[in-house]
Amino acid sequence: MSVSIGDQVRLARPQTFLKTADPMPMLRPPDLVTHGEIGRVTALLPADTAAVRFARGTFLLSFAQLMVVADDPAATDELDSSSDSD
């Protein structure tokens, strides 16, 4: 799978934990990202890993854990509305 910075993605399946993209990463509970929530790739890292920004944080995820969201205007509106509340 090919992922680029700025791509909109969502989780392919529920996670057992989430690893933060902080300078000192921490493991966080999976309920910080809701099912179907769309995030944006903010960085590409070694070992097929991406930093993905969701409404409640930025997390490190393997490409295998992600699905690229098609360029859908409704999906873009959902992402924009969640970023306006910050």
Side-chain angles (χ1 to χ4, degrees), residues 4-81:
S4 301
I5 293 176
D7 283 354
Q8 293 183 350
V9 295
R10 69 177 62 185
L11 294 176
R13 59 187 174 280
Q15 305 297 304
T16 55
F17 63 87
L18 295 167
K19 185 176 183 178
T20 64
D22 299 328
M24 181 176 279
M26 297 184 297
L27 297 180
R28 304 289 300 183
D31 61 350
L32 293 176
V33 177
T34 60
H35 178 70
E37 183 176 347
I38 296 172
R40 187 172 305 273
V41 176
T42 58
L44 299 175
L45 304 165
D48 291 336
T49 303
V52 181
R53 173 75 179 148
F54 289 100
R56 295 179 66 188
T58 303
F59 303 101
L60 301 176
L61 298 161
S62 165
F63 291 173
Q65 297 171 317
L66 301 172
M67 294 186 324
V68 176
V69 176
D71 291 332
D72 180 9
T76 304
D77 292 343
E78 178 183 322
L79 183 64
D80 290 341
S81 66

